[in-house]
Amino acid sequence: MVAALTVGTRVLALVILGIGAIVGLAMAVAGAGQAFGVHGWIVLIYCLVIAWRVMLQLDAPEPSPSRLRSYYDDPIKMGVVLTMAWAIVGMGFGVWVAYLLAYPDLRYDAAWTGFGRLRPVHTTGIIFGFGGTALITTSFHVMQRTSRARLAGEFTPWFVLLGYQLFVILAISGYLMGINQSKEYAEAEWYADLWLLVVWITYFTLYIRTLARRAEPHIYVANWYYLSFILIVGVLHIFNNVALPVSWSGSRSYILWSGVQDAMMQWWYGHNAVAFFLTSGFLGMLYYYLPKRAARPIYSYRLSILSFWGITFFYVWVGSHHLHYTALPQWVQTLGMTFSIMLLVPSWATAANALLTLNGAWHKVRDDATLRFMMVAAIFYGMATFEGSFLAIRGVNALSHYTDWTIAHVHVGTLGWNAILIFGAIYALVPVIWRRERMWSPRLVEWHFWLAVAGTVIYVFSMWNSGILQGLMWRTYNDAGTLQYSFIDTVMAMHPYYMGRAVGGTIYMIGMLIGCVNIWMTIRKAPEAGYLRDMPKTPAGDADDRRVPAE
Amino acid sequence: MDVSHDTLVVIAKTVGLFLLIAMFLAAVVYAFWPSKKAKFDRAARSVLDDEDGPCR
Ligand code: HEM
Ligand code: HEM
């Protein structure tokens, strides 16, 4: 992969990595003896390892200029592998945390084995590690194909992909050492946040520059979704993380907002992380891979545009439904609730658009597990948004909030929609990128599909039961007018459902591991498709030399 | 600057309402503009066969 870069790019990479290594060393020295110093060492080692990799091939011959006429897929290949690696980490910790809740004794004395430190490793590892890497990877694929243009630049894609990995590594290693700014889904501290900002702005400009080179007149709708994801997550990230560090040599910082403003900012961020990270970006994925795999254009392109504006516009108002019955003014809560209900319209329009695309091609869904992954994802998307709009109603939220019902809703969305869609997209993507006829074993894809669906259903039903039972027990009064159940009664009642969840999660994880094997074997063993498909052709079928770009 | 709750409510019920309606109409008009249909149809089909160039 390094050999495919020009010598100039290799040197540039070494310079940037050198700067990174110096910053890391400075952090390690300034923060010696604290967790901040450990982060310095991590930065240093990360940069040195990549630099060593570049060094190994520094003297390789210059790549041929004809490569500039084809798509640039090397970062996508790396991205697929990293996505699956994060799936193992994120789900591994998820399963661990699930067993820990069922058996609270399942830990050592070390502080890092506590629930409070392991849980954010699961959420960050899975959302930002697995989900984020999948979004970046697929966006590199989608932006090139829909624009019929090569990625703008050969250095920036690597900077974005690998820089983002460093952010996630800093975040989760920090939680294990106790570095946490106590904002859900934004737990990372100030220096990691600043680094993510640099990476994110680079990502945005890379996207825009690639679109600017496009050969297609119209920007395909999937790109709109990806772009709104990048843009709005950037804005949210800035506002929710304006913090003043206590010193340059420590991790602690204080956020600028205080009290209820801080809470509102946090959940404006928190919900839009759901909206633009876990929904908008993933809809971009859906709008590309589903029509492509089904070989049918999207049912209604117009509807996709309308729902785009509906989703982007409504979502930014709904964060306050996380703060029902709090110090937040009542009217702000009502506002969030109202917009949450309206949000159901564009959400279901989108799910319907996806399913209607498949109408008339159900035989393909039956035969092709990859397409079935995407169809099931669209169904779970419809379920998660319906449930979400329902939970946002203040009276319903009074029952569901703080209970496992929220956890059920979360995992309908994340297991059923996000992760299953990622698997579908990856199974569609891997043979194309590695130029294989198909996945190594279609039967294993089939197995993965059924394990994923079974795991999701077991997980979600356990948590629905647990959540509603828990909520009802908390509000049951006896004849004397006092609470019927003590808190520990409700905890004991949860145990069987926690076991169910752990089993469902394990099944889901096994499916994912089968997927990893299949992807690995596809890369190593599957029969090659004997053609280079993305080379431009003249009508006569010869390579077209006129289109060498100026870069 | 202190904005009272009443002021906000008035703004929300007047400007806010019409702003939302206007934005909604703008999106509908854009999506359903007749001459755009051909362009959208083409875009919807364009993803089906994008592995062989032209690539620039
Ligand atoms: C192997 C599958 C998985 C298992 C066993 C699992 C398990 C868990 C557990 C035990 C919790 C903590 C619940 C609590 O605090 O009571 C949790 C929370 C969470 N998980 Fe998972 N998880 C899995 C997959 C995923 C995936 C794929 C995603 C995202 C793409 C995800 C996102 C989340 C989020 C966002 C939360 C926090 C929910 C909240 O604070 O309300 N999980 N998970
Ligand atoms: C119309 C769409 C949706 C609406 C209106 C909605 C609404 C809600 C509501 C009301 C809550 C509970 C808040 C609380 O009681 O604290 C919630 C939690 C959550 N939802 Fe949704 N939801 C929607 C779609 C989704 C989707 C598609 C996902 C994707 C994975 C998702 C992920 C989450 C997560 C992660 C949480 C937990 C937040 C926390 O940590 O407390 N939601 N949502």
Side-chain angles (χ1 to χ4, degrees), chain B residues 20-54:
Chain B
L20 294 191
I21 295 178
M23 289 172 77
F24 174 67
L25 287 180
V28 173
V29 167
Y30 174 77
F32 286 89
W33 200 257
S35 65
K36 290 227 168 0
K37 181 161 171 39
K39 203 170 117 187
F40 290 161
D41 284 347
R42 191 188 124 79
R45 299 196 162 276
S46 71
V47 294
L48 300 184
D49 189 19
D50 55 11
E51 278 306 319
D52 22 52

Side-chain angles (χ1 to χ4, degrees), chain A residues 44 352 429 530:
Chain A
L44 179 65
L429 172 72

Side-chain angles (χ1 to χ4, degrees), chain A residues 292-309:
Chain A
K292 176 97 187 160
R293 186 75 187 187
R296 300 161 67 84
I298 193 78
Y299 171 72
S300 166
Y301 195 79
R302 287 171 158 168
L303 189 58
S304 73
I305 293 177
L306 264 188
S307 22
F308 171 79
W309 291 110

Side-chain angles (χ1 to χ4, degrees), chain A residues 226-248:
Chain A
Y226 276 115
L227 271 179
S228 69
F229 143 66
I230 304 172
L231 182 68
I232 304 211
V233 167
V235 174
L236 296 164
H237 174 71
I238 294 173
F239 276 94
N240 196 36
N241 288 299
V242 276
L244 274 184
V246 175
S247 80
W248 294 112

Side-chain angles (χ1 to χ4, degrees), chain A residues 341-402:
Chain A
I341 294 167
M342 299 197 299
L343 195 54
L344 189 59
V345 177
S347 303
W348 271 32
T350 307
N353 207 354
L355 294 177
L356 285 170
T357 303
L358 298 174
N359 201 10
W362 294 114
H363 61 283
K364 288 189 189 165
V365 178
R366 192 190 56 215
D367 298 341
D368 179 8
T370 303
L371 189 57
R372 216 178 312 126
F373 266 104
M374 301 182 204
M375 180 206 71
V376 167
I379 292 176
F380 274 112
Y381 174 67
M383 283 169 55
T385 51
F386 177 76
E387 186 182 28
S389 299
F390 185 60
L391 291 179
I393 299 169
R394 205 187 276 109
V396 180
N397 200 260
L399 178 67
S400 74
H401 193 73
Y402 296 129

Side-chain angles (χ1 to χ4, degrees), chain A residues 91 94-95 97-98 101 115 119 122-123 126-127 130 184-185 278 404 406-407 410-411 414-415 418-419 459 498 501-502 505-506 508-509:
Chain A
M91 289 181 201
V95 172
V97 174
L101 283 174
F115 177 74
R119 187 189 196 272
H122 164 56
T123 55
I126 201 79
I127 299 182
F130 172 60
E184 202 177 7
Y185 313 128
L278 298 180
D404 285 329
T406 308
I407 306 298
V410 170
H411 289 86
T414 55
L415 293 175
N418 300 127
Y459 188 122
Y498 281 1
R501 182 230 326 254
T506 309
Y508 198 92
M509 172 117 187

